């Protein structure tokens, strides 16, 4: 029997974003295949996913004070395939269509798998709401399929909820005994909590803002070249990625930030592929200088990132100890959650290396793989600070860089692609558009 998995603060925050920020965060995995993928293979992949941890929903506890649980649920969204071939002109609209259709917390449609002919092969899209699973969790779910240990459990019993409440109360009390003296002794901590709990000032009703749906740019480059250029400027592959993300914001528009702004860095807290948490991550904000683009030494960004990540851990998600946070009334708990990705200016998500099980989706070797994170139906600028999201993924000897940005700041898709291409080229990187003629990859290092 699979153990009960309870929702954590990040899960709860992402469930609330549709209400608080007017949009839902989604993760989309894209595969290109050089040859056609049969419908039977895609259906088998869909059925395998439906037996795994992506097909679950949040169920309220029967006991007040206990945490909500993830329980088994079948996905009502069937595999979607089309016989109409995609072209380079229609590909972007098709992948956008896959994320625009709602997949809300209360919907019977849990995630979406779709495929279309493209070139001589097939393009496949998997779209998952972020509240249901983070990116690395999605990779684990794809790789594990319907294996027993990865299946969501049935609903917990009342005794299970009572036990959870007791554990949270005990842990909350022990954590508070250490946390409270340290907080009382720290003016900075006290100020943050007072600020978080202070009711927002009354404002005059304003016309409803329209959501800004993101435009996208996806490019590939050589992983070894990326590393050489990072070394050349005194950085790491990740610090180069963060500096590129910051530069895109600095260069995007005339109203780019003149003062410091935050780059959100998602940090995975997953312990293994068996970690069944929906979102095992925290987003930590790295404050970077505004002004013109910076393309010199990466040592400052590398040092600042290292210092920030050194203090990051499970405690980073909330302003009070997490066991105590779960016991607070919802109106206070929401305010005492550390701001997530949507309260930074740009997010830089480094997914690392593609697992072999992902590179061989539906039993076939992919020619290219990319990941996008974006907001549906879009960002409301008066509620969220987020203006762009970047994803970095290494498959074999290639790196895929995906950028999504608000047209208000980055212009249309052509303008965004030109900006991203120029930024990557400015670091001495040779890049090519991700779609088009498939690029052969080495899955293993040569």
């Amino acid at each position: 029997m699979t153990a009960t998995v309870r929702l954590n603060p990040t899960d709860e925050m992402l469930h609330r974003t549709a209400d608080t920020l007017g949009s839902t965060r989604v993760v989309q995995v894209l595969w290109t295949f050089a040859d056609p993928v049969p419908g039977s293979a895609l259906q088998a992949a869909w059925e395998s996913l439906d037996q795994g941890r992506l097909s679950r929903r949040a169920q309220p506890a029967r006991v007040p004070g206990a945490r909500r649980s993830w329980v088994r649920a079948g996905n009502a969204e069937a595999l979607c395939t089309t016989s109409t071939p995609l072209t380079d002109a229609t590909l972007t609209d098709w992948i956008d269509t896959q994320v625009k259709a709602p997949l809300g917390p209360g919907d019977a449609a849990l995630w979406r798998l779709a495929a279309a002919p493209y070139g001589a092969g097939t393009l496949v899209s998997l779209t998952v709401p972020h509240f249901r699973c983070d990116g690395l969790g999605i990779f684990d779910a794809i790789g594990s399929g319907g294996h027993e240990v990865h299946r969501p459990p049935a609903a917990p019993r009342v005794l299970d909820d009572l036990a959870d409440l007791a554990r949270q109360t005990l842990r909350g009390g022990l954590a508070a005994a250490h946390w409270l003296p340290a907080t009382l002794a720290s003016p900075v901590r006290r100020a943050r909590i007072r600020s978080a709990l202070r009711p927002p000032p009354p404002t005059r009703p304003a016309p409803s803002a329209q959501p800004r749906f993101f435009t996208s740019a996806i490019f590939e480059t050589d992983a070894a070249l990326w590393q050489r250029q990072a070394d050349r400027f005194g950085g790491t592959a990740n610090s180069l990625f963060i500096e590129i993300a910051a530069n895109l914001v600095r260069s995007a528009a005339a109203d780019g930030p003149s003062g410091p702004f935050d780059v959100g860095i998602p940090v995975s807290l997953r312990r293994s592929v068996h970690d069944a948490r929906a979102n095992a991550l925290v987003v930590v904000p790295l404050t970077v200088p505004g002004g013109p683009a910076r393309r010199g030494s990466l040592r400052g960004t590398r040092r600042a990132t290292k210092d920030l990540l050194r203090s990051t851990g499970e405690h980073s998600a909330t302003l009070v100890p997490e066991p105590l946070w779960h016991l607070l009334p919802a109106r206070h708990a929401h305010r005492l959650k550390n701001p997530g990705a949507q309260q930074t200016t740009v997010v830089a998500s480094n997914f690392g290396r593609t697992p072999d099980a992902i590179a061989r989706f539906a039993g076939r070797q992919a020619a290219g793989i990319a990941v996008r994170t974006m907001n549906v139906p879009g960002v409301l600028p008066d509620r969220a600070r987020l203006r762009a999201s970047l994803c970095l993924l290494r498959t074999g000897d290639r790196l895929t860089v995906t950028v999504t940005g608000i047209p208000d700041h980055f212009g249309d898709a052509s303008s965004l692609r030109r900006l991203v291409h120029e930024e990557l080229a400015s670091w001495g990187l040779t890049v090519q558009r991700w779609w088009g003629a498939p690029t052969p990859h080495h899955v293993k290092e040569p």
Side-chain angles (χ1 to χ4, degrees):
M1 176 67 179
T2 306
T4 298
V5 179
R6 304 280 175 168
L7 275 71
N8 61 36
T10 302
D11 299 338
E12 295 289 7
M13 180 270 291
L14 287 167
H15 269 83
R16 288 176 55 97
T17 54
D19 296 328
T20 58
L21 298 177
S23 64
T24 298
R25 195 90 172 131
V26 300
V27 182
Q28 184 180 36
V29 185
L30 298 164
W31 293 265
T32 57
F33 294 89
D35 299 312
V37 180
S40 58
L42 293 168
Q43 184 62 38
W46 186 97
E47 291 171 359
S48 178
L49 289 173
D50 196 39
Q51 291 298 312
R53 66 173 62 135
L54 295 186
S55 287
R56 59 185 179 179
R57 58 179 173 81
Q59 175 170 294
R62 294 180 174 89
V63 177
R67 296 172 294 172
R68 295 202 292 170
S69 302
W70 290 107
V71 299
R72 173 87 178 104
N75 183 22
E77 180 89 3
L79 170 68
C80 178
T81 60
T82 178
S83 59
T84 304
L86 300 176
T87 67
D88 289 355
T90 62
L91 182 146
T92 300
D93 287 342
W94 184 85
I95 64 174
D96 284 350
T97 298
Q98 306 315 312
V99 300
K100 285 181 176 179
L103 292 167
D107 295 347
L110 306 179
W111 43 269
R112 178 173 297 115
L113 184 66
Y118 175 59
T122 304
L123 178 64
V124 177
S125 165
L126 173 64
T127 303
V128 183
H130 209 317
F131 65 77
R132 202 169 302 285
C133 205
D134 60 30
L136 292 181
I138 293 171
F139 280 3
D140 292 343
I142 295 169
S144 64
H147 193 279
E148 180 67 32
V149 299
H150 293 273
R151 291 178 184 172
R157 301 166 300 171
V158 172
L159 287 177
D160 297 325
D161 287 345
L162 285 170
D164 182 69
L165 175 59
R167 283 193 298 268
Q168 292 301 113
T169 302
L170 177 60
R171 291 171 181 170
L174 293 174
H178 294 86
W179 169 81
L180 188 58
T183 300
L184 292 175
S186 171
V188 174
R189 285 191 183 184
R190 296 200 309 273
R192 287 188 69 190
I193 292 174
R194 282 197 302 268
S195 176
L197 292 175
R198 188 178 300 125
T203 57
R204 293 181 178 179
S208 297
Q210 293 299 311
R212 277 40 165 207
F213 187 75
F214 288 10
T215 53
S216 296
I218 310 178
F219 288 96
E220 279 191 336
T221 189
D222 181 80
L225 177 59
W226 183 291
Q227 185 62 60
R228 286 197 300 273
Q229 295 305 96
D231 294 340
R232 175 186 172 192
F233 290 98
T236 62
N238 195 52
S239 55
L240 174 56
F241 178 50
I242 292 169
E243 197 68 59
I244 287 170
N247 277 344
L248 290 175
V249 174
R250 294 171 181 138
S251 305
D255 62 347
S258 57
F261 61 95
D262 289 338
V263 178
I265 304 175
V267 180
S268 177
L269 304 175
R270 288 198 179 276
R271 302 185 183 100
S272 73
V273 296
H274 302 297
D275 191 328
R277 288 177 290 178
N279 286 277
L281 58 79
V282 292
V283 176
V284 293
L286 176 68
T287 303
V288 299
R294 302 158 67 93
R295 299 190 179 96
S297 173
L298 291 170
R299 289 185 175 85
T301 300
R302 178 179 186 175
R303 183 169 54 252
T305 304
K306 184 178 180 180
D307 291 343
L308 180 65
L309 298 184
R310 187 181 294 121
S311 61
T312 298
E314 301 279 351
H315 65 280
S316 304
T318 55
L319 295 177
V320 299
E322 186 175 320
L324 182 61
W325 183 91
H326 282 289
L327 299 173
L328 296 174
R331 65 183 184 278
H332 295 318
H334 175 65
R335 292 178 180 174
L336 290 171
K337 174 79 173 68
N338 270 323
Q342 299 192 85
Q343 295 306 325
T344 60
T345 303
V346 56
V347 177
S349 303
N350 187 345
F351 287 84
R353 292 177 182 268
T354 305
D356 288 348
I358 313 306
R360 286 193 55 81
F361 184 72
R364 283 155 176 79
Q365 188 69 39
I369 307 172
V371 179
R372 293 200 303 172
T373 55
M374 55 204 314
N375 289 58
V376 179
V379 159
L380 292 170
D382 56 337
R383 296 194 197 178
R385 288 164 49 196
L386 186 63
R387 297 298 179 262
S389 294
L390 281 76
C391 296
L392 185 68
L393 179 66
R394 178 167 182 172
T395 305
D397 56 4
R398 305 292 292 174
L399 282 174
T400 305
V401 183
T402 306
V403 182
T404 58
I406 293 184
D408 301 47
H409 289 255
F410 296 93
D412 60 16
S414 296
S415 298
L416 176 62
R417 290 169 194 150
R418 182 170 58 253
L419 181 69
V420 175
H421 189 282
E422 291 172 352
E423 176 62 28
L424 295 173
S426 73
W427 291 95
L429 299 170
T430 303
V431 296
Q432 66 185 60
R433 193 172 62 174
W434 181 70
W435 65 85
T439 303
H441 299 163
H442 297 293
V443 175
K444 297 291 186 181
E445 286 294 303

